[in-house]
Amino acid sequence: QVQLVESGGDLVQPGGSLTLSCAAFGEILAINRMGFYRQGLGKTREVVATLTTGGNSNYADSARGRFTISMDNGEKKVWLELHRLQPEDTAIYYCHAVDSLRREYWGHGTQVAVSS
């Protein structure tokens, strides 16, 4: 059984920073891509940033320039650095992975709250 476990969510003030982490556990085939999605209250889940093992990154417009994604493929870990956080970044952030057979895996989420 494959599990994605996120950590790092917290309550921060506007303008603050956080680093989210995600690790994959279990029998997972070669990972093609890992990333983070988020879902705010009453909103649909949206992509924040993804990164392929080939080094191709993709960022949502709202994340570009403020967030940075990185990955250690050998360790099956991914990190998302969030800077200049704003209240609209408040959401549950979910880790996502796609393996070489295009099977998708999701974590249970970690809460990020931005408020003064």
Side-chain angles (χ1 to χ4, degrees):
Q1 184 176 359
V2 175
Q3 282 188 309
L4 299 182
V5 180
E6 305 100 333
S7 62
D10 205 346
L11 170 64
V12 296
Q13 293 186 342
S17 298
L18 281 176
T19 298
L20 305 182
S21 303
C22 172
F25 298 94
E27 294 295 322
I28 184 170
L29 293 179
I31 293 176
N32 277 358
R33 185 174 76 245
M34 295 188 77
F36 285 89
Y37 288 65
R38 70 185 182 186
Q39 187 166 12
L41 190 63
K43 298 181 180 180
T44 57
R45 191 173 297 189
E46 61 180 4
V47 63
V48 178
T50 61
L51 180 62
T52 69
T53 53
N56 293 314
S57 61
N58 179 56
Y59 292 92
D61 288 343
S62 60
R64 193 173 293 112
R66 297 189 301 132
F67 299 172
T68 302
I69 191 168
S70 58
M71 180 168 60
D72 184 330
N73 187 36
E75 293 293 323
K76 298 178 184 177
K77 293 181 179 178
V78 63
W79 297 268
L80 184 68
E81 296 178 34
L82 303 89
H83 300 287
R84 304 199 306 276
L85 284 161
Q86 298 302 316
E88 52 266 33
D89 296 314
T90 295
I92 299 175
Y93 285 69
Y94 296 91
C95 184
H96 178 255
V98 181
D99 70 14
S100 57
L101 293 180
R102 299 187 179 183
R103 292 179 294 196
E104 298 185 58
Y105 306 93
W106 291 94
H108 291 294
T110 185
Q111 176 73 55
V112 172
V114 185
S115 175
S116 56

